[in-house]
């Protein structure tokens, strides 16, 4: 959200700085149920999402007599229809041999259980992503009061908090049941898929232990949501860990990936189009957040709530549909500045947090 504006078509527009150095060698994306060869032995498929960001990319890698798939789409009839068309079309009726999920967000794991059960295929994930996904899938029933306290502290009014209570459990509504067991993947582990080696590279910030896959033999990199070409991945704080600093995790990960990855990498992202120019993209992402943080500090010369700083961070108005993500990302930026001693937080008698520059910053 920090450097992109989602259009009505579900794509993203950015300023020229965010696109500098990027090329899109594969052209227009495939329609649901169709596929484009992204690299030798790798097919690019796209499934619909019922939200403003209206698609997710999934990838099928030749794996002996079948396909290893990376990410699964959300658990909706439209996504299932897309899979059915792909399985009988470009995937040629061959079975799914394993399901590898980059992270635990419903657009990536929603149909993992459905695919695993249908093909008796194992699920491969990092430990924190699997455990967190299982936990959130089980979060149904009455909304915990800790969540109301968190959103009230962020500046939500009572009708907005009531909508949170009424919509609690939405995570599970985008999913089929997750498999009861999984195969753990770790940083630096090498998966042999179809006789080719894919190295696991872990990122943080967008989710707890996000897995990317790197085929070093020809520098193909399945990035999931860790590096996206047109928008910055959502970096949010949630009620389960209100003092978390995911933006620090994110920036640290970007530094590490910038040092690790070669310049001529072909990046296969979770959203948007496959691209080259990973190093300029990483620098643009870092620069975008740095600029947002400077704008945020200027805003905090007077005390503000998290909901008051949206204009410093986002290039479009924030409606109810993305209020949770926007508030979570605002708090992530505020927690990052607090961790550096640059801002402070005071909670008033109504349970609302007010953020302002520290005395040192104010004097400066």
């Amino acid at each position: 959200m920090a450097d992109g504006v989602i259009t009505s078509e579900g794509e993203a527009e950015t300023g020229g700085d965010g696109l500098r150095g990027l090329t899109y060698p594969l052209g227009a994306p495939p329609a649901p149920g169709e596929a484009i060869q992204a690299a030798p032995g790798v097919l690019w498929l796209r499934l619909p999402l019922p939200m403003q960001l209206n698609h997710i990319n999934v990838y099928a890698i030749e794996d002996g007599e079948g396909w290893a798939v990376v990410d699964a789409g959300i658990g909706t009839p439209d996504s299932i229809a897309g899979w059915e068309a792909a399985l009988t079309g470009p995937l040629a009726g061959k079975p799914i041999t394993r399901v590898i999920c980059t992270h635990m967000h419903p657009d990536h794991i929603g149909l993992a259980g459905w695919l695993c059960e249908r093909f008796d295929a194992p699920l491969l994930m990092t430990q924190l992503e699997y455990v967190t996904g299982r936990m959130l899938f089980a979060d149904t029933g009455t909304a915990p009061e800790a969540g109301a306290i968190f959103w009230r502290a962020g500046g939500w009014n009572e009708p907005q908090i009531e909508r949170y209570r009424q919509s609690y459990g939405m995570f599970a509504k985008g999913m089929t049941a997750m498999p009861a067991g999984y195969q753990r993947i770790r940083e630096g582990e090498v998966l042999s898929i179809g006789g080719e080696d894919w190295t696991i590279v872990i990122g943080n910030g967008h989710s707890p232990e996000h897995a990317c896959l790197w085929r070093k033999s020809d520098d193909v990199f399945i990035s999931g949501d860790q590096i996206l070409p047109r928008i910055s991945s959502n970096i949010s704080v949630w009620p389960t860990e209100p003092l978390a600093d995911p933006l620090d995790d994110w920036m640290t990960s970007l530094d590490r990936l910038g040092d690790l990855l070669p310049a001529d990498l072909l990046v296969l992202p979770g959203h948007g189009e496959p691209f080259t120019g990973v190093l300029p993209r990483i620098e643009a992402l870092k620069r975008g957040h740095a600029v947002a943080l400077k704008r945020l500090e200027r805003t905090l010369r007077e005390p503000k709530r998290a909901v008051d700083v949206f204009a410093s961070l986002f290039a479009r108005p924030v409606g109810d549909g993305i209020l949770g993500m926007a508030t979570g990302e605002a708090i992530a930026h505020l927690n990052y500045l607090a961790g550096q001693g640059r801002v402070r937080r005071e909670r008033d008698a109504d349970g609302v947090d007010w953020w302002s520059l520290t005395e040192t910053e104010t004097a400066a």
Side-chain angles (χ1 to χ4, degrees), residues 21-261:
L22 273 64
T23 61
Y24 298 92
L26 301 185
E34 299 180 359
I36 292 172
Q37 182 169 307
V42 182
L43 297 182
W44 168 28
L45 302 92
R46 179 168 280 195
L47 298 171
L49 294 177
M51 55 192 72
Q52 198 163 11
L53 182 58
N54 64 12
H55 69 273
I56 180 174
N57 300 324
V58 300
Y59 300 95
I61 306 171
E62 290 181 358
D63 192 20
E65 297 302 313
W67 303 93
V69 299
V70 180
D71 288 331
I74 201 166
T76 64
D78 285 345
S79 289
I80 291 174
W83 269 119
E84 295 285 8
L87 289 166
T88 57
L91 301 187
K94 297 179 181 179
I96 303 301
T97 60
R98 46 190 144 173
V99 179
I100 306 165
C101 288
T102 58
H103 63 296
M104 54 78 189
H105 292 157
D107 53 330
H108 294 259
I109 64 168
L111 288 174
W114 177 77
L115 287 170
C116 290
E117 181 177 10
R118 176 166 177 163
F119 292 99
D120 192 25
L123 171 66
L124 282 68
M125 294 182 71
T126 63
Q127 185 178 61
L128 281 177
E129 298 293 340
Y130 176 79
V131 170
T132 306
R134 285 287 302 272
M135 175 189 74
L136 293 174
F137 181 76
D139 273 353
T140 57
T142 303
E145 186 59 23
I149 291 171
F150 176 83
W151 297 119
R152 184 177 293 109
W156 286 19
N157 60 35
E158 290 306 314
Q160 290 166 337
I161 293 171
E162 184 58 29
R163 281 195 291 274
Y164 150 73
R165 292 190 176 104
Q166 295 299 321
S167 64
Y168 185 72
M170 286 298 293
F171 188 96
K173 289 181 171 59
M175 296 174 57
T176 56
M178 290 183 68
Y182 78 114
Q183 293 181 13
R184 182 180 180 184
I185 53 178
R186 298 173 172 86
E187 168 70 33
E189 181 177 353
V190 177
L191 300 178
S192 178
I193 305 176
E196 297 279 354
D197 289 343
W198 292 82
T199 300
I200 302 300
V201 177
I202 301 300
N204 309 101
H206 177 65
S207 63
E209 193 184 4
H210 185 297
C212 306
L213 288 83
W214 180 10
R215 189 166 69 184
K216 296 183 180 181
S217 62
D218 58 353
D219 283 330
V220 175
F221 189 76
I222 300 177
S223 68
D225 285 359
Q226 194 66 32
I227 306 174
L228 298 174
R230 298 182 185 272
I231 54 174
S232 175
S233 305
N234 180 254
I235 311 299
S236 282
V237 173
W238 301 102
T240 47
E241 192 181 355
L243 300 180
D245 191 356
L247 186 55
D248 184 66
D249 295 336
W250 172 253
M251 300 293 272
T252 300
S253 284
L254 290 179
D255 285 340
R256 176 174 172 269
L257 291 171
D259 291 338
L260 178 69
L261 300 176

Side-chain angles (χ1 to χ4, degrees), residues 317-333:
V318 173
D320 285 341
I322 59 170
L323 180 62
M325 292 177 66
T327 306
E329 185 145 0
I331 295 172
H333 283 73

Side-chain angles (χ1 to χ4, degrees), residues 342-362:
R342 293 154 66 181
V343 304
R344 62 186 176 187
R345 169 177 51 190
E346 294 184 3
R347 183 163 296 184
D348 68 18
D350 296 321
V352 178
D353 287 341
W354 292 89
W355 298 81
S356 58
L357 295 179
T358 61
E359 292 181 7
T360 302
E361 291 289 342
T362 303

